[in-house]
Amino acid sequence: MDDSLLIKLTLDGNQQAYAALVDRYKDLAYSIAVRIVKDAQDAEEVAQDAFVKAYKSLNTFRGASKFSTWLYTIVYHAALSKARKLKRFTPLNQVEAAEIPDDSRHADSMSDLTAEERQRFLAQAMDRLHPIDATLLNLFYFDEQPVQEIANITKMSVSNVKVRLHRARKQLHTELNRLLQSEIRSIL
Amino acid sequence: MSTPEQDKALQDMLRELDITPAPDGFTDRVMEHVQMAPAPKPIQYKAPIGRWGWVAIAAAFISLCVAGLGSNYEFPAVMPEVHIGEFLPTLPFADVSPAIPLALIALSAILVLERMLSKNRLVR
């Protein structure tokens, strides 16, 4: 059943239809929240609140964008607001000022790892990124959202999203190398 | 600087990475809150022209006809054989005074007023 029909049914008073929408988008919504607030419990609270907020204002959803874009926008901004409240958030401009070290010495080592090990290292490296960068990668690679949709969600310009995605990958590369180096050191 | 090959490999790995799933029972907990929340009101739309709008249009149309017929046009007793060029100047509205523009202005005013009085067409 497509989103617009589920929304219509929800507006007609069918709460099970909304449960289907929650089930459909809960994973990425939670994933966005956890990337930003960096705590499982806080992320669940943020994602839950976002779904309830979306439900209450469902009649204002005009269908100009996809429901997922509208929902992720609510989650993203609720998570940012929570992270700011918890003081777990560094403004983007401070991160931009920091230089990304250029390090690709161990870049090829990743291919020698098993899929499971790669997942573990990648997840750890993602955790080290700035919350917004990690979220952009999340949206672009896991959910395969187009850049324009990501720009709508984050209220950034399309070019800014592209630049940040590039920087985020570069940063991720560096973090992966750091992790691999320390892993090699610990083995030796 | 990472090479394009390395960047591509990284992008492939990112696509492989599993998303952090929502905890078990997440949907149920959301729905508990949803059941307590006020239900969203269904969207209702009013017709673009309300009842008074149609009344205004009818009134304006009638006044336009009356104004036109009340002009100094005289109906011929028998429709003469005329060329279209000769007939045109004797059309009812041809030499009617300021009645037509006035009626049109009145019509616009009534429609604007009707729009203002009905405020928001979208009923929440």
Side-chain angles (χ1 to χ4, degrees), chain A residues 15 23 26-28 30-31 44 48 51-52 55 59 62 102 107 110 118-119 122 141-142 169 176, chain B residues 1 6-7 10-11 13-14 16-23 27 29 31 35 40-41 43 122 124:
Chain A
Q15 288 191 338
D23 229 27
K26 64 179 178 180
D27 287 341
L28 195 69
Y30 175 74
S31 168
E44 184 172 351
Q48 270 185 22
F51 273 111
V52 175
Y55 173 74
N59 58 339
R62 292 274 165 270
D102 203 353
M110 283 296 276
R118 274 205 302 268
Q119 290 259 328
L122 206 52
Y141 290 103
F142 308 156
R169 278 205 310 272
L176 273 172
Chain B
M1 187 71 182
Q6 286 169 347
D7 194 40
L10 184 64
Q11 292 191 47
M13 277 192 282
L14 277 166
E16 273 176 31
L17 187 58
D18 292 332
I19 199 168
T20 316
T27 306
R29 287 192 289 281
M31 291 316 289
Q35 275 157 12
K41 288 176 189 166
I43 300 166
L122 185 65
R124 292 186 196 284

Side-chain angles (χ1 to χ4, degrees), chain B residues 17-105:
Chain B
L17 187 58
D18 292 332
I19 199 168
T20 316
D24 289 340
F26 180 87
T27 306
D28 295 338
R29 287 192 289 281
V30 170
M31 291 316 289
E32 276 171 26
H33 286 93
V34 161
Q35 275 157 12
M36 287 187 284
K41 288 176 189 166
I43 300 166
Q44 294 172 345
Y45 291 94
K46 270 188 181 179
I49 298 173
R51 189 170 40 144
W52 287 108
W54 285 115
V55 169
I57 290 169
F61 180 73
I62 292 165
S63 35
L64 208 62
C65 290
V66 169
L69 290 173
S71 69
N72 55 4
Y73 170 70
E74 287 174 16
F75 285 98
V78 180
M79 186 65 78
E81 276 184 37
V82 286
H83 298 292
I84 191 76
E86 292 172 322
F87 185 64
L88 271 177
T90 59
L91 275 171
F93 303 117
D95 59 348
V96 186
S97 57
I100 291 175
L102 279 176
L104 285 171
I105 290 165

Side-chain angles (χ1 to χ4, degrees), chain A residues 42 121 161:
Chain A
D42 289 332
F121 278 116
V161 170

Side-chain angles (χ1 to χ4, degrees), chain A residues 1 16 20 29 38 43 54-55 63 65 78 83 100 102 115 120 122 136 140 150 154 157 172 184-185:
Chain A
M1 207 181 287
Q16 282 313 303
K38 306 264 187 200
Y55 173 74
S65 64
I100 297 173
D102 203 353
R120 183 166 60 88
L122 206 52
L136 293 181
F140 190 71
I150 298 175
T154 57
S157 67
L172 187 66
I184 291 165
R185 260 187 240 119

Side-chain angles (χ1 to χ4, degrees), chain A residues 134-150:
Chain A
T135 309
L136 293 181
L137 291 174
N138 225 0
L139 288 166
F140 190 71
Y141 290 103
F142 308 156
D143 200 46
E144 297 185 348
Q145 292 269 352
V147 172
Q148 180 62 59
E149 297 281 316
I150 298 175

Side-chain angles (χ1 to χ4, degrees), chain A residues 152-170:
Chain A
N152 291 342
I153 292 169
T154 57
K155 312 281 182 229
M156 288 181 196
S157 67
V158 169
S159 55
N160 198 8
V161 170
K162 284 181 185 168
V163 168
R164 289 217 69 85
L165 274 171
H166 178 74
R167 285 179 64 91
R169 278 205 310 272
K170 205 172 153 190

Side-chain angles (χ1 to χ4, degrees), chain A residues 9-74:
Chain A
L9 288 172
T10 306
L11 289 171
D12 289 343
N14 183 345
Q15 288 191 338
Q16 282 313 303
Y18 194 67
L21 281 171
V22 176
D23 229 27
R24 190 171 289 175
Y25 295 110
K26 64 179 178 180
D27 287 341
L28 195 69
Y30 175 74
S31 168
I32 292 171
V34 85
R35 288 263 172 247
I36 296 173
V37 298
K38 306 264 187 200
D39 176 83
Q41 235 177 345
D42 289 332
E44 184 172 351
E45 195 187 311
V46 164
Q48 270 185 22
D49 289 350
F51 273 111
V52 175
K53 194 176 171 188
Y55 173 74
K56 284 185 194 165
S57 48
L58 199 58
N59 58 339
T60 64
F61 174 65
R62 292 274 165 270
S65 64
K66 288 196 285 184
F67 174 73
S68 57
T69 306
W70 183 69
L71 176 72
Y72 297 152
T73 308
I74 297 173

